[in-house]
Amino acid sequence: MHIDHLKSLRPLQGLIITDVGAGDGVYSRELDAAGATVTAIEVDPIKVAKALTGLPRTIDVKLGAAEDLPLGDKSQDLVCLFFSLHHVPSNVQSEALEEFHRVLKPTGRLHIVEPHPYGTMFDVVRLVEDETEVRTNSHALLTGLDGRHGFQLVDMKQYVLTREYPTFEFFVEKIILPDPERRQAYEANSADIEDTFNRVKESREGRVVLHQPCTAFHYSLTQ
């Protein structure tokens, strides 16, 4: 859904795009399939190693942080962050914005999608990692970014990301166990987490789903 919305704003074929906070590269893969030349940047070496083995060779995978991008000046048509800005420490988010501006071409765009601190997905995940504060702060930053740091808001759209988790065990395997800190929190509170999952889950067309509302912010550079 993230990439479909992005396509509605700008054709991706032939663009040079960086996916910042790419994780194991799920959205980098979609950008590559849309015909873009993609660089996936991730700060976690373990996720970088996974991306290097799991992504198409057409995607350039790099270890790097949002506030110190391993990219040349004015080299990118599009910089994207999908659910990753709130993971950038607040004390370096301004530096990260400067980096995004540095690497974008004069005609480039910045596209950031952030989850809200509410929704059924959040209701469950917050029991192992409460991101209320960091998500609230990231939305405040993006809402106030228009006309600051060299960026101008072009489009803002709210939508709901729906994800399928057939069983609680499947949810735990995908969302909790890969992260050591979440795993520890789960082991200390597993019964409450399972109860919450069963209470808020929704059945849609025979599928068990959770919903995560988010907002996509799309910026151009100020001239």
Side-chain angles (χ1 to χ4, degrees):
M1 191 170 186
H2 295 323
I3 306 303
D4 287 341
H5 172 59
L6 182 55
K7 286 179 182 178
S8 74
L9 298 173
R10 189 171 189 181
L12 304 182
Q13 179 72 40
L15 294 188
I16 300 172
I17 301 178
T18 290
D19 180 12
V20 180
D24 57 10
V26 59
Y27 299 118
S28 296
R29 185 187 296 273
E30 291 189 43
L31 293 168
D32 177 73
T37 299
V38 182
T39 300
I41 296 179
E42 170 57 45
V43 71
D44 184 341
I46 295 176
K47 292 179 180 178
V48 169
K50 185 176 180 180
L52 282 169
T53 58
L55 292 178
R57 293 184 179 181
T58 49
I59 298 175
D60 187 13
V61 180
K62 294 180 180 292
L63 178 68
E67 67 274 17
D68 187 19
L69 297 174
L71 300 168
D73 295 355
K74 298 179 174 59
S75 60
Q76 305 298 305
D77 293 303
L78 184 62
V79 170
C80 298
L81 291 88
F82 301 105
F83 282 26
S84 59
L85 180 65
H86 62 279
H87 293 299
V88 178
S90 59
N91 64 321
V92 296
Q93 285 184 343
S94 291
E95 295 176 37
L97 290 170
E98 292 174 3
E99 278 291 270
F100 304 155
H101 193 282
R102 177 184 68 81
V103 304
L104 281 168
K105 298 177 182 179
T107 57
R109 297 288 180 90
L110 173 64
H111 188 81
I112 302 180
V113 187
E114 277 290 283
H116 287 281
Y118 51 80
T120 53
M121 181 73 173
F122 179 78
D123 290 340
V124 184
V125 172
R126 72 179 180 84
L127 299 177
V128 292
E129 184 179 10
D130 191 347
E131 294 183 339
T132 301
E133 182 176 359
V134 292
R135 293 189 186 190
T136 299
N137 291 343
S138 67
H139 277 277
L141 174 66
L142 294 172
T143 301
L145 185 57
D146 188 24
R148 301 179 61 232
H149 295 280
F151 293 103
Q152 180 176 344
L153 184 65
V154 175
D155 184 84
M156 183 174 68
K157 180 178 177 63
Q158 296 188 28
Y159 54 87
V160 177
L161 186 67
T162 298
R163 291 174 172 167
E164 181 177 357
Y165 301 101
T167 64
F168 176 68
E169 290 73 22
F170 183 85
F171 171 83
V172 170
E173 181 180 347
K174 293 294 183 181
I175 303 301
I176 296 178
L177 297 185
D179 185 300
E181 292 185 3
R182 287 185 175 184
R183 179 194 292 262
Q184 185 177 5
Y186 168 70
E187 291 172 349
N189 197 26
S190 60
D192 190 23
I193 296 167
E194 184 171 8
D195 287 345
T196 301
F197 176 90
N198 289 327
R199 175 173 55 82
V200 303
K201 69 183 181 181
E202 179 181 328
S203 179
R204 175 180 291 186
E205 298 176 352
R207 301 178 301 137
V208 175
V209 298
L210 297 175
H211 304 293
Q212 180 54 66
C214 60
T215 298
F217 299 83
H218 194 77
Y219 304 91
S220 64
L221 302 187
T222 54
Q223 302 302 318

